Amino acid sequence: MISMRGLPATRMRALSTLSWWLIRAQFKTRRAATLLSMLAIALGVALGYAIHLINDAALSDFGRAMKSVQGDPDAVIAARDSAGSVPLATINAIARDPAVLLVAAVIETRVRIDNAPTPVRLIGIDVFSAMAMTPDLLPRQDEQAAAPNILDGGVYASPALLARLAQSAQDSQSSQGKDFGTRAGGTLKLLRGEQQWLATLAGDLPVARPDDLLLVADIAWVQARFGPADGVSEGRVRLAPDTDLASWRQAWAQRLPPGLLIRAGDDDSARVSNLSRAYRVNLNVLALVALLTGAFLVFATQLTAVAQRSTQFALLGVLGLSPRMRLLQVLLEGVAIGVPGSLLGLALGYALAVTFTQVLGGDLGGGYFAGSAPLIVPALAPALLFLALGCLASLAGASYPAYLNRMQPLAQALKTGFAQRPPADARPAARSWRYAHSWVRRLPLLPLLLALAAFALAQLPPLFELPLAGYASIALVLVVGIASAPLLTQLLFGWLSAQPLPAPQRIALQNVAQAPLMAQVAASGLIVSFALTASMVIMVSSFRVAVDQWLDHVLPAPLYLRSKATPLPLDLLGALAAPAAPFAKVERMANAALTIDPQRPQVALLIREIEPRDPAARLPFTGPLLAPPAAMPAVWISEPMAEIYRLAPAQTLRLPLLGREVEVFIGGVWRDYGRQFGAVVISREDYQQLGGNFQPTDLALWPLPGQQAQATAWLAPWAEQYGLEVADSAAIRRLSLSIFDKSFAVTYALEAAAMLIGLFGLAVTLAASVWLRARELATLGALGFDRRMLSHAVMLEGALIASVGLLIGLACGIAIGAILTHVINPQAFHWRMALAIPWTAVFAGAVITLAAAVLASRYAARQATRLPVAQVLANAQ
Amino acid sequence: MLRVSDLAKQYGKANRPLFSALDFAVGSGEIVALVGESGVGKSTLLNCIAGLDTADRGSVAIGPQALDIVALDETARAALRARSIGFVFQAFHVLPTLTVAQNIGVPLLLCGVPAGEHAPRTQALLERVGLAGFAARWPASLSGGELQRVAIARALVHRPALLLADEPTGNLDPRTADEVLALLLERVREQQTSALVVTHSQHVAQSCDRILTLTPNGLLESGCARQ
C-alpha cells in the first residue's frame, strides 16, 4: 500500500510513531512554555469566537424581535420623520393596487402606564389584517373576565408587561396600599405627555416575545386617543404572488409623497447589521491581535525548542530523517499546540458568550442591542473557521523555526549545536534570505520604505466603509519596528561595545550588538507588545480627554430633566414658567428621528431652543459658522452625519421633515460623541415655522443663584409623578466617563495580556540564548568570570534588549496611537479628536516593563550561573 | 561495501583543495581505520561519504547496489543513510527524551521496518551489547560506556551496509574504550558490515583490518594492521 507523497504505508506509520515520540517528549520537557502557547492561542480564538457568537445571536434576536412586531411583509411604507405619519389616502391607494394582496395599517406610539417608570409600546392593529401579517401580535381574550374585546376598546398586554405590572402592583401595595389593574378586567391609566386615557385590560398576547413590553389595541381606538387623525405610522404590504418587488418598489417610490419611504426586508437586515458593524470589526481586530500574540508565543517557544534540540534533530537527520520530515515535525508540533489551544478557545469562547449575554445582554458593550438577552447557538461552520484560524496562527508561529530546523547543517549542528542563521550555501532560497537580511541590517532603506508605505496607507479613505487601509498601516508600522531593531541595536551598542569597559558589560554589549536571532526575537516580542499597549493607552487617553472637553461644552446647565420618549407634561412646563419656580433659565429640547437612507440607522433630529445667531454657545463646532441665506432655515449637523452622508457647511440639504422634503442650509458641523449615526440640530423657531409641533422631551435648567438644592427638591415630585429623570451635570459627566471607562475595560485586559506575553517571550528567548551559549559562558567561567559577573552580563543583556524593544515599541506605539486616533476612529466611528499622549503613564509603563524585563532575565541569568562549567566544557570536546 | 572514486573537496572562499582524487574501497565485513593529522579533512571526508557534506567531484558508492550518494539529492541521501549507513559518534548522541529501546528503534522507524519486528530485534541487540534489561531505562541514568553501547546497537540494528565511526572511543576511559571497541568490531564482523573508523588512537587503528592515512598529498595505505 502506498500513501501520499509515495511513502509506503508502513514507513508512514513508523514515521508517525517517531513523530509522536518527539511531540510527547517536547510537551513533557517544555510543559510551561507549551501550555502558555496553547493558552495564548485559546485566548485569541475565544475572543474572536465569543464576539461572533454574541453578535450573531444578538443580530438574529434583533431580527426576530423586529419580525415579531412587524411580521413578515414584503415592504413597509413609513414616514422618514419619526414625528410624521403615512396619510390614509396613500394607504388606500396602495391597497387598490392589483399587485398588492394586503396592506396592514399600524399605529405605534409610546405611553407610560400610570406611574410605572418605563414607557411601553402601544400598537394599534387592524385585527383582520394582523391575522395574516403579524400573528405574534394577535390578542387572546380572557373569556372569564368581564372585559370588552379588541373591537370594543379592550387592550392586551405582553407577558413581560403583565409581569412588570404585577411587580409594580406588589411594590405599590406594600408601600402605598394602592391597587392596579393587572388582571383582565382591570383598568390601566395610559399617559402620554399631558394626555391621560383609561383602558381596560382584556387579555394577553400569547406569542409575543418574552422581553417585549407591548400593549396592543384596535387601531381605531389608538387613533382616536393618540392620533394621528388622518394617517397611520406604517403600512405593511404583502404583494401578490409573481409580483417583482424591485420594480413594484421603484414604481411606488416615484408616486409616494416626499416624506415617505418604502423599506424592504433587505433594508432592515442591512440597517441592523450596520448598527454594530464598525464596532464588531474593531473587536475582531483586537481578537486578531490576541491571536497574533499567540502566534508569536508559539514562534518563541518553537524556536527555542528547535534550538535546544538542534543536536537531536541533527542526529535524526544523520540517521536518515529527511529535511522535509524535519520541517514537518516542527510544523506538526505547532499544530499539536494549535489544535488543543483552539478547541479550548472554542469552549472558552462559548462559555464567555453565554456568560456575557446573561450578565450584559447582547450589546457587546457598545450599546447597540441593549436590553436583549439572546440565546447563544453555536453553529458548526463558524466553529470550524475559528478552529482553523487558531491552528493557522499556531502553524504560522512554527513555520520559521521549522524552516530553520530544515536548513540546519547536520554535521555542524552535531558538533557545535544550533546555527542561528541558515548556511549561506544551503540553497538558493537561503542565499536570497541572507542577502535580504543583510540589507535590513546594513541599510535603513527598507524600514524607511516600509514607513513611507505605512504613512501612505494611513492617508487612504475607508474601504467598504471600514478603515482597512488603516489596519494595514498599523501592521506595517509593527513590521518597520521589527525590521529596524538590528539597525538600531548596532547603532546604539556597536560603538559602545568597542569602548574600554568592564568585562561583563563588554560581553553583554558585544553579544547584543551582534544582534543574534534570539536577541532579535526577544526584542520583537517587546516591540509588538509595548507598541500595542502604548498605542491603546494613547488612543484611550486622547479619546477620554476629548470626551471630557466635549462634556464641558454640551452640559452647560447645572440640572437636566428628561422624559423617556414621551413628551413632557404641559402642567410641568407651565409650572416652570411661573415666577415661583426657582429657576433663572429653562431651555427645552425635543427629539425625533429621520430616515435619510433606509439601509442606515436613523439620524437624530434635535429641536432646540438655541440662539440662531450664536449656536456656538451650545454646540461645540469644529469649523466656521455660516449664516443661512434669507428665508432658508439653518441646521447644524454632527461630525458623524457630515462624514456618513458626505455633507459640508454651506451646502443645502433636503431634509425629510414633517411629511415633506424641506430644503435647509448647513450652517456648521459640531462635534458629537453621543450619537454615532449622526444628528442634526434645528432651532425651535425654525421647526415651528416649518409647521412642526414642538413637544419637549428634555430640559436644561439653570436654578436661581444659590438655589440648586431647592431646585432639585422642587423637581422631585414632578419626577416621581411622571417618571422623569433628573440629574445634575456632574452626575451625568461621572456616568458618561464611567460608561466610557467600562467600554474600554476589555482593551486594558488585552494590553496586560500582550505585555505578559512580550515579557514571557523575552524570558524564554534569553534562557534559550543562554542555553545556546552554554559553552561560551562555561569558557568564560573557566577563564575567571565568577557567578556574579556571569549573572550581571546576562541581566545586562536582557536590559539592553528590553531597552531597544521599548524604545522602538514606544516610537511605534505613538505612530499607531496617531493612526488609531486620526484614521481608525474617524473612519470606523466618525469620531475625531486631538492626539493627547499621556507621557507620564507611557514612561511609567516603559520603566515598569524594563524592570520586569530585568527580573525576567534573572531567570536566564540563574540558568547561566547554574551551568556546570567542567561538564559543559567536557561535552564540548 | 563502500567504493570512493576520484573524490575531491575544496574549502574556504579561495577554494583551496582539502583533498583531491581520493580512491579507496572497503569490502563487506572489512574494518578500515582512517587516521591523519588534525585539520587534514578526516571528518569532512566522513561527512562527504555520509552525504552530510557535498563533494566537489567524484563518487561514493554504497551497498550492494553501489548507489552513488554524491549524485543524489538531499532527500534521497537521507533515505540512503537511513537504509544503508550506521553511525557511531565520539559524543554518543543518544536522544535524551527517548528510552534506550526507543533510541535503538529509531533507525528501524526511519527504514520503515514493520512495527512487529522492532521489539525482538532491539532486544536481541541489547543482549549482544551487554545491555539486557536496559530497554526501559532513560539515557540520563547510563554511564559513558553504556551510552556508547546503546549508540553501537542503534548503528547496527537496521543491518546497514556501511558503518561510519568518528572517534568511537574518544570520550571513554581506556578500559571501557577497550570493551566498547571489541564489541564494535565483533558486531561489525558478525553482520558482515563494511566499516570506516576515524581515529587518532593508534590502538584503535591497529585493531582494524587496514589503515588509511589521510595527508595533504592524498591517501597512504599502511597495510593490514592486525596481520
Side-chain angles (χ1 to χ4, degrees):
Chain A
M1 183 180 158
I2 300 292
S3 69
M4 276 190 314
R5 319 279 302 185
L7 284 175
T10 47
R11 182 138 194 264
M12 277 294 289
R13 269 199 299 275
L15 288 176
S16 309
T17 306
L18 179 61
S19 181
W20 170 236
W21 285 356
L22 294 174
I23 290 173
R24 201 176 50 183
Q26 152 77 347
F27 282 12
K28 239 169 143 178
T29 50
R30 303 181 57 79
R31 214 171 287 162
T34 308
L35 204 66
L36 271 172
S37 304
M38 274 182 195
L39 282 177
I41 293 286
L43 179 70
V45 171
L47 274 176
Y49 189 51
I51 291 165
H52 166 81
L53 283 176
I54 294 168
N55 187 65
D56 199 43
L59 283 180
S60 318
D61 193 61
F62 203 76
R64 276 196 300 273
M66 186 178 271
K67 199 171 168 183
S68 168
V69 174
Q70 186 176 282
D72 194 14
D74 294 316
V76 176
I77 316 292
R80 284 173 181 270
D81 179 355
S82 65
S85 61
V86 183
L88 284 174
T90 306
I91 296 288
N92 291 334
I94 290 172
R96 284 195 296 272
D97 183 344
V100 172
L101 203 62
L102 177 74
V103 182
V106 168
I107 293 179
E108 184 176 331
T109 186
R110 281 184 181 267
V111 294
R112 285 193 312 111
I113 298 175
D114 208 349
N115 63 350
T118 318
V120 300
R121 293 166 77 179
L122 171 64
I123 303 176
I125 59 168
D126 164 33
V127 74
F128 301 107
S129 56
M131 280 180 199
M133 192 72 79
T134 50
D136 285 8
L137 295 182
L138 282 180
R140 179 172 63 182
Q141 185 77 22
D142 189 334
E143 300 295 350
Q144 293 180 346
N149 67 25
I150 188 164
L151 294 174
D152 294 329
V155 298
Y156 302 80
S158 63
L161 178 57
L162 284 173
R164 184 74 65 91
L165 288 172
Q167 184 62 45
S168 292
Q170 202 177 10
D171 294 348
S172 299
Q173 261 180 339
S174 55
S175 62
Q176 300 170 15
K178 280 173 70 179
D179 196 5
F180 291 87
T182 59
R183 290 193 207 96
T187 303
L188 298 174
K189 192 200 281 181
L190 308 183
L191 302 126
R192 187 173 181 278
E194 72 283 0
Q195 294 174 302
Q196 292 189 6
W197 300 95
L198 292 177
T200 308
L201 190 61
D204 63 353
L205 304 168
V207 276
R209 286 166 43 79
D211 297 334
D212 287 342
L213 295 176
L214 295 179
L215 209 52
V216 166
D218 181 58
I219 187 167
W221 188 91
V222 177
Q223 191 172 37
R225 282 150 186 83
F226 299 97
D230 53 353
V232 295
S233 304
E234 284 182 0
R236 294 162 187 174
V237 180
R238 178 154 301 156
L239 298 175
D242 306 330
T243 304
D244 178 49
L245 173 63
S247 46
W248 181 86
R249 184 181 178 178
Q250 198 179 5
W252 268 99
Q254 290 163 359
R255 292 171 59 188
L256 285 178
L260 301 184
L261 61 86
I262 304 176
R263 284 199 322 258
D266 290 352
D267 298 333
D268 291 335
S269 25
R271 197 173 62 253
V272 171
S273 175
N274 271 333
L275 265 176
S276 62
R277 187 158 168 256
Y279 190 72
R280 250 163 35 227
V281 170
N282 240 22
L283 284 178
N284 278 321
V285 169
L286 280 181
L288 201 63
V289 168
L291 208 55
L292 283 179
T293 46
F296 168 74
L297 211 52
V298 173
F299 168 69
T301 307
Q302 285 307 98
L303 187 65
T304 50
V306 163
Q308 292 185 343
R309 291 179 299 162
S310 59
T311 44
Q312 294 182 40
F313 275 118
L315 174 74
L316 289 169
V318 167
L319 294 182
L321 192 68
S322 69
R324 193 166 60 86
M325 289 304 295
R326 294 201 299 276
L327 177 119
L328 210 60
Q329 177 62 34
V330 181
L331 291 180
L332 274 176
E333 288 174 3
V335 173
I337 291 172
V339 171
S342 304
L343 286 172
L344 180 66
L346 290 180
L348 279 176
Y350 177 72
L352 194 65
V354 170
T355 313
F356 198 94
T357 47
Q358 279 175 0
V359 176
L360 296 171
D363 73 345
L364 283 170
Y368 302 106
F369 307 115
S372 73
L375 184 69
I376 298 294
V377 185
L380 185 65
L384 287 177
L385 177 75
F386 280 95
L387 181 76
L389 274 178
C391 293
L392 266 179
S394 188
L395 208 57
S399 56
Y400 185 65
Y403 166 74
L404 272 186
N405 194 40
R406 187 222 183 284
M407 301 308 293
Q408 286 294 302
L410 299 180
Q412 187 191 326
L414 259 186
K415 259 189 174 174
T416 56
F418 183 62
Q420 298 204 34
R421 310 207 183 287
D425 58 348
R427 51 186 295 159
R431 274 200 294 275
S432 65
W433 178 88
R434 197 180 75 110
Y435 182 66
H437 193 256
S438 61
W439 263 59
V440 176
R441 286 171 65 99
R442 286 177 199 153
L443 290 171
L445 194 61
L446 189 62
L448 208 65
L449 285 175
L450 289 173
L452 283 174
F455 181 76
L457 278 171
Q459 310 307 311
L460 290 180
L463 296 169
F464 311 109
E465 298 191 21
L466 291 171
L468 299 180
Y471 290 131
S473 170
I474 289 175
L476 220 50
V477 167
L478 292 176
V479 173
V480 170
I482 292 169
S484 57
L487 190 79
L488 190 74
T489 308
Q490 281 183 332
L491 208 69
L492 283 178
F493 304 130
W495 173 81
L496 211 57
S497 66
Q499 304 309 306
L501 287 167
Q505 283 83 332
R506 200 178 164 136
I507 291 286
L509 276 166
Q510 275 173 349
N511 195 53
V512 176
Q514 285 159 9
L517 183 62
M518 288 299 173
Q520 285 179 43
V521 169
S524 305
L526 274 184
I527 289 170
V528 173
S529 54
F530 193 69
L532 291 174
T533 304
S535 64
M536 290 305 287
V537 169
I538 289 169
M539 190 275 280
V540 173
S541 161
S542 305
F543 203 172
R544 204 175 192 281
V545 168
V547 168
D548 205 21
Q549 290 167 352
W550 176 75
L551 284 170
D552 276 346
H553 209 118
V554 298
L555 294 173
L559 277 177
Y560 288 86
L561 178 144
R562 69 168 187 161
S563 68
K564 294 163 191 163
T566 61
L568 289 168
L570 287 177
D571 49 351
L572 166 65
L573 297 172
L576 278 167
F583 296 98
K585 189 161 82 170
V586 176
E587 277 183 11
R588 299 172 297 169
M589 188 171 82
N591 292 311
L594 306 178
T595 304
I596 309 272
D597 175 352
Q599 295 212 333
R600 292 181 187 279
Q602 290 179 310
V603 168
L605 173 69
L606 312 176
I607 307 146
R608 294 186 65 165
E609 291 189 315
I610 201 164
E611 172 54 57
R613 277 161 304 185
D614 185 23
R618 291 289 176 267
L619 296 170
F621 284 96
T622 60
L625 264 170
L626 303 170
M632 188 181 281
V635 295
W636 303 280
I637 60 173
S638 70
E639 231 171 6
M641 183 166 174
E643 296 204 1
I644 293 171
Y645 298 100
R646 297 176 199 284
L647 299 169
Q651 287 180 347
T652 56
L653 166 69
R654 296 186 74 80
L655 213 54
L657 208 59
L658 304 165
R660 60 185 194 273
E661 283 195 342
V662 178
E663 191 161 35
V664 292
F665 177 82
I666 300 175
V669 175
W670 53 283
R671 183 142 293 165
D672 186 15
Y673 296 132
R675 287 152 286 246
Q676 194 191 326
F677 304 105
V680 53
V681 171
I682 188 168
S683 74
R684 178 180 60 84
E685 289 84 354
D686 280 344
Y687 185 70
Q688 285 177 324
Q689 272 179 14
L690 290 167
N693 178 18
F694 180 64
Q695 293 184 305
T697 53
D698 296 50
L699 299 176
L701 303 138
W702 282 261
L704 288 167
Q707 293 198 26
Q708 173 134 357
Q710 290 91 322
T712 310
W714 188 91
L715 290 169
W718 292 97
E720 169 75 19
Q721 186 184 347
Y722 289 106
L724 308 172
E725 276 181 6
V726 179
D728 61 44
S729 56
I732 297 173
R733 166 190 289 276
R734 270 197 309 277
L735 181 69
S736 304
L737 291 176
S738 129
I739 290 170
F740 177 93
D741 291 339
K742 271 185 202 159
S743 65
F744 281 101
V746 67
T747 60
Y748 299 138
L750 280 174
E751 283 165 30
M755 283 318 301
L756 277 179
I757 285 171
L759 285 172
F760 180 76
L762 177 81
V764 165
T765 40
L766 268 182
S769 167
V770 163
W771 194 91
L772 286 175
R773 290 185 292 134
R775 287 170 197 176
E776 177 197 323
L777 295 170
T779 308
L780 290 173
L783 292 176
F785 265 61
D786 60 23
R787 283 170 180 248
R788 206 169 51 87
M789 288 162 85
L790 276 179
S791 172
H792 278 181
V794 172
M795 282 174 68
L796 180 62
E797 207 175 294
L800 292 174
I801 293 171
S803 307
V804 170
L806 291 174
L807 201 65
I808 299 177
L810 178 62
C812 292
I814 292 173
I816 295 172
I819 296 172
L820 285 171
T821 307
H822 293 315
V823 180
I824 304 292
N825 267 342
Q827 291 188 5
F829 306 110
H830 315 293
W831 290 322
R832 287 186 182 278
M833 63 206 71
L835 190 70
I837 301 175
W839 290 109
T840 315
V842 169
F843 278 125
V847 169
I848 291 169
T849 311
L850 186 62
V854 172
L855 276 179
S857 60
R858 268 182 69 89
Y859 167 69
R862 204 171 295 149
Q863 300 290 106
T865 52
R866 269 189 194 159
L867 296 171
V869 173
Q871 190 188 323
V872 173
L873 289 177
N875 286 343
Q877 282 167 6
Chain B
M1 65 155 291
L2 166 71
R3 167 158 292 284
V4 174
S5 310
D6 192 27
L7 200 68
K9 175 76 180 170
Q10 296 170 329
Y11 74 99
K13 283 183 181 168
N15 284 334
R16 288 165 59 192
L18 186 63
F19 49 76
S20 60
L22 295 186
D23 280 291
F24 67 94
V26 182
S28 295
E30 188 183 19
I31 303 169
V32 173
L34 179 65
V35 298
E37 291 174 2
S38 292
V40 79
K42 300 186 298 295
S43 292
T44 307
L45 174 59
L46 210 64
N47 288 340
C48 287
I49 291 171
L52 301 176
D53 205 342
T54 45
D56 298 315
R57 198 182 68 229
S59 67
V60 176
I62 295 168
Q65 293 167 323
L67 282 173
D68 179 9
I69 201 163
V70 178
L72 300 177
D73 66 18
E74 207 179 348
T75 305
R77 287 204 299 269
L80 182 60
R81 277 200 302 275
R83 210 169 46 243
S84 306
I85 306 179
F87 291 87
V88 178
F89 305 95
Q90 180 181 1
F92 319 136
H93 289 313
V94 174
L95 298 174
T97 52
L98 303 186
T99 62
V100 165
Q102 285 174 335
N103 261 289
I104 295 173
V106 167
L108 299 176
L109 291 172
L110 292 171
C111 289
V113 172
E117 292 180 33
H118 289 204
R121 278 169 76 165
T122 305
Q123 197 52 44
L125 253 174
L126 274 173
E127 282 168 17
R128 296 187 85 81
V129 297
L131 293 178
F134 277 61
R137 296 267 296 267
W138 294 97
S141 67
L142 304 187
S143 68
E146 288 164 343
L147 285 171
Q148 197 61 309
R149 284 163 192 260
V150 173
I152 290 169
R154 185 183 62 196
L156 296 171
V157 71
H158 56 308
R159 297 179 189 128
L162 173 67
L163 180 110
L164 299 173
D166 191 355
E167 297 282 5
T169 58
N171 268 1
L172 303 174
D173 63 81
R175 199 171 67 83
T176 313
D178 281 348
E179 285 173 16
V180 167
L181 180 66
L183 178 78
L184 175 71
L185 300 178
E186 189 185 325
R187 296 282 78 81
V188 166
R189 291 197 177 102
E190 184 183 271
Q191 289 195 9
Q192 284 296 293
T193 302
S194 311
L196 184 65
V197 181
V198 171
T199 183
H200 281 114
S201 159
Q202 277 300 313
H203 175 63
V204 173
Q206 292 299 330
S207 308
C208 297
D209 298 327
R210 269 194 299 146
I211 300 174
L212 293 174
T213 306
L214 186 60
T215 71
N217 300 320
L219 272 177
L220 297 176
E221 179 140 5
S222 311
C224 300
R226 285 170 69 232
Q227 294 160 6

